Structures are given as C-alpha cells and as structure tokens.
Amino acid sequence: MARPGSGMLLPVNGLGYPPQNLARVVVWEWMNEHGRWRPYSAAVCHHIENVLKGDARGTVVLGQVDDQLSPYVIDLQSMHQFRQDTGTMRPVQRNFYEPSSAPGKGVVWEWENDSGSWTPYDMEICVTIQNAYEKQHPWLDLTSLGFCYLIDFNSMCQTNRQSQRKRRLRRRMDLAFPLIMGSIPKSQSWPVGASSGQPCSCQQCILVNSTRAASNAILASQRRKLYGGTAGNPGGAGTLAAVRQSNTFAGTSLWAPASASCGPNNINMSAGGGQGKAEQVQLPLSSANFPCSPIMASLSAAHGHHALTINGQNNLNRPGTQRFSVGPARGAVPPGVPALPVKNLTGTGPVHPALAGILMCAAGLPVCLTRAPKPILHPPPINKSDMKPVQGINGMRRKTKKKHLRRGKNPEDVVRRYTEKIKVVPDEDCTICMERLVMSSGYEGILQHKGIKPELVGKLGKCGHMYHLLCLVAMYNNGNKDGSLQCPTCKTIYGEKTGTQPPGKMEYHVIPHCLPGYPDSKTIRIVYDIPAGIQTNEHPNPGKKFSARGFPRHCYLPDNEKGRKVLKLLIMAWDRRLIFTIGTSSTTSESDTVVWNEIHHKTEFGSNLTGHGYPDSNYLDNVLTELSAQGVGQDNV
C-alpha cells in the first residue's frame, strides 16, 4: 500500500531540513537496539526545538520536560543521546513530515504490550496507519514496511501473520508536533553558529557544559603539542592507538579502513580486530583526522612516541553501547581548564559516574563503558558424578502421567463433607450468587441436585463462612472437581487441592556451587520438563493442542534446612499438579501454553538482574506463603 504523507529526511551533515519556504512537522527520533528509529513525544520534540533555536551546539536535558527521561541528555553537536547513569549513547535524528500527517494532527497510534501498557508505533508506521484509517480502509497490511502484521480497523487489533497472535491497538489524540517553515542558508552546515543562548543554571547542565569545555580544551592543547613535536622531529612518526568497539558487539571497526602514502607527516593507526588481531592503517596527519569532539580525547607518551586516543563524534554511529580503550598514561591538563571534583564513582560524589568517566577519559585515565550485564542463568558445566541426592529426600525424580490424574467426585458429597447445615440463617449476602441467604440461591432453576434445595444454607467447618449449598455445588462444578473445596471469601482450602498441570517430569539434585547470598551452602537444582500435547476436559480448550515453551526449566534453591523444606513442599505441589497450568503467557501473550501457576521459582543462578535470582533474603519465606495458599503447608511435610 502506498504511503502518502510519510516521513521525509533531507540530511545536511546529520540533520534534515525542509525545502525553502515549505512547512513541515518536525519529529525527533532515537535509534533503538534493533536499528529502528523511535519517536520522542510531541512535548519532548517541542523542547528540543526550543533549545535548538537558542543554541545550535547546545545540550538538551530531557528531564526538564519528562521526568521519566531524567537520565538522558542530547548533544546537538554530535547528534547523540547520552544516558548519564549507564553511559549508553544512541544516535538521534530530526525527521520531517507533512502537516496533514498523523504527527501534524497530534494523532498517536499505539499497541498494547505484554505488561498491559501502550507503546506507540514507529512514526512512519503511525503515518501509514493514519492514512489508511482516514481513507476508511477495513484493514492494512504492514508487510511492505517489513512487518508481518495485519491491522484490522473494525476490531482494532493487530494480528501477527505468522503466529496469529493478536494485540489490541488504539488511536488517541495528543499534542501536535512542532511546525517549522523554510530552511537555513545552503552555505551553512550543521552545526551552525556559535552558542548564543544563555546556559541553563541547573547542576546537570553545568556538569555537561563543564565536561565539554574540559575535553575541548585538553584536545586543543594536546593537538598543538602533537603538531609541534612532529614538526620538530620529522623522522619520528606518531603512533595512534585506535579506539575499538568491544568484541561482544557484532559490527565493523569504529574506524573505516583508509590508506595514504607514508611520510613524516603520516601516523600509524593500530586497530584491534574482532579476533584480537591488529591492523596497521596509515592516516595522514592533518586537522581533518582530529575533529574537535565533545566526547573525549587523550594523549600520552609511550616508548618515545605520542599515543593519541580519540573518540570522534562520527564514531558513535550504531545503537549499541560503545566500548572505549584509553591509553594508560595520564596526559597533562593545561591550565585554565575547568576542574570538576571526582571523589567517588559510586554515585555519592558531585558528578554522575558516566560524566565522571568522560572527565577521566579526557584526562587520559582508562575508562570502559559497556552494555548492561547479562543475567547468569546457569552454573558452570557439571558432570553427572557431581550431582548428588538431596539430604532427607528419597530419589531424584518425579513423574506425572495420565494415570495419575484424578477423576471428579460427586459434588453433593464434597459439599456435604465440609459444611454443616444452618437452622437460623442470618440476614446477609451469599458472596457467590449475591442473593440474601434468607432467600433462595441465585442458581435456582439452573442447577438441580437431589437432596440440596435452593434455600438450604451451609457453614464451612474451618472458617465459618456461610453460603447457599447450591451455590457451593455450582462453584465446585466450575472448578477442577478434585474433591477439594476452597472458601471464596478467605481462600481456606478443604481437602487436598490439585491442579491441572499436564504430564511431565521433575528432577532435583545437589550441585557443587553456591548461590549469591549463600556462600556456605551448595545448591539444589530443580529441572522441570513438560512436553507439548493435547488439552483434556480439565483444560480451557479440550482437544486443542497446547505448547510448552522454555522447557526444560532450571530452578535453584540453597541446600540448607529451609531450602530443603521448600523442596519437599515443591515436590508435594508437583505431585498435586499445582506448579504449572495451561493458560495465557503474561510475557508473550501466547494462549494455550504451559505457564507458572502462582508459585514463584528462581530461574537465575548467578545474578538477580530480572528479579528471578539471588540474593533475595525474602524468597524462601515468600514461596512458603505461596505454597500455603495452594494448600501445601509446612504441616504437610
């Protein structure tokens, strides 16, 4: 489908400008880790444009307009977004759209994510959806844009053409994006002009501006030294230590391959390859190779040569976090450079850790900015001979087969077993049918059971809550029919509650490694394995296939007294088929799949980045509470 009114990008050294005397809507966008340009909100775009008008080389503090973006600043000179608490840098761009398009009208199209909140589409997709919506098309195929989704405007749903999974979408009105007219003169390039606006007086802006002044002053001083040293010693060639991305990232070197004739004014650049090898690249020694970068530069003397490490603004051209290697020797800081105290890099000092890192790099100290650590899900490889039985527990495996599945029991017998009849009925509501207990059950005429009249009221033995007996029968029929009863008011369980967990196996053993927070204990590893299969009558869609994603699933407990107690209860919950059930995944929204059943497990072995790992001093107590809520208490051990 054609996309009239879609985005138009006219780059001029990193920024786009509309044709002369033509109105355009401005949308600022940042590149995510998948290489997609994601739009800032209209309010943020207005803020960026206001800063741009005052200082084309300035820094935009996004937290001034959106509290959720407080860690982020945009450097308009290098066209990068910088996150101060992690050091992550991402490219940004200035894009233009027709005034009649979605951003010009303030129309935002969003899809519902796994957490139930709403995420806006990329702007070019938003414009395409709005265009089809205005033309009253019943549906829109996004395949031409590289997405296998089908938009249905009648049901307001997005359907994945491969998995058939559906998500809700919505259209809402928001602030229109900023509108501009004309362009800058063609003779000017980006960035334009000198800083003419008054700097912001907040501490965040002062730190950013001071950092930029410090790095630029150091770079200018060291370049003068480098040029002077080369001119005075024509036989000596400067050695340039190249900046290299971390091997953990896929991609090419930060420095493009280049060559030039060797001579006294050439320098050797050693670029470390992805395999740890080095390449020698000849670059002419000229000011073109050393752009005055607002990011960082350092100079050190080693083996009689000048070692120069530079991060130019053009090097930050990919969405991932960059890794910078800096020479170990410290360069001299020229007089007059504004100094910021860096007392503590843990965040207690006056400088954010990431900004302090820039200052350290500008001064020639080694700094390494890396991506966030990945969770450690599994322990190191273990031989079978090192897997030992858990103390006090027989065997190392449990299986659940179809022959173990319990058959339903007579509902009347189950209700009568756990209740006693009430002769004097109080004048209060039955919380199942919401009718008064002195009246007949709301299920009168819907259910008919011999011996249970609609007006009969019973009291549960343990908790004492009262209901119509016919209402309790209806509740039992809508449940698992396993011979147990659970009070709908206080959740007290009568009998042995069982679940609808499909057949599978559970293994458990001790491994010779310790969990974070339990240095004196080995680890109990639990392995659950459930295959895909066909749903039965106790499941949501009998006869339909169900999937089993992520199996086998590995979980961990400390091998101490409380950890072994939790394991015994988990084994009991497994035997009662309470660990898993079939339903809709809260993370992927996939239906008819095996999901956890409200008993949390720790699936992260050596970290706690996702919240499902250690250390967690409250986990064992919390899981005991969850097991008790399922009727698996410590009195059952």
Side-chain angles (χ1 to χ4, degrees), residues 84 303 340 486 541:
Q84 300 176 78
H303 305 292
L340 293 178
Q486 187 169 16
N541 298 299

Side-chain angles (χ1 to χ4, degrees), residues 359-378:
L359 289 174
M360 292 174 63
C361 193
L365 297 177
V367 175
C368 182
L369 302 180
T370 62
R371 66 166 65 186
K374 294 183 178 180
I376 303 173
L377 301 179
H378 303 291

Side-chain angles (χ1 to χ4, degrees), residues 401-418:
K401 298 182 179 180
K402 291 184 179 180
K403 66 179 182 180
H404 292 161
L405 309 184
R406 300 194 174 196
R407 296 180 179 179
K409 298 183 179 180
N410 189 300
E412 298 177 17
D413 295 339
V414 173
V415 170
R416 292 182 184 276
R417 182 183 309 160
Y418 301 120

Side-chain angles (χ1 to χ4, degrees), residues 530-582:
I530 295 178
I534 305 295
Q535 299 182 54
T536 62
N537 292 332
E538 61 185 356
H539 296 134
N541 298 299
K544 187 177 180 179
K545 292 182 179 180
F546 68 85
S547 61
R549 311 293 185 190
F551 288 94
R553 299 187 184 183
H554 293 228
C555 311
Y556 304 95
L557 292 169
D559 184 25
N560 55 23
E561 183 178 356
K562 184 175 284 189
R564 290 188 287 269
K565 181 187 295 184
V566 170
L567 176 62
K568 291 179 182 179
L569 294 175
L570 289 176
I571 294 173
M572 187 175 300
W574 172 268
D575 291 339
R576 297 182 183 180
R577 306 170 58 223
L578 295 170
I579 302 293
F580 296 96
T581 188
I582 294 178

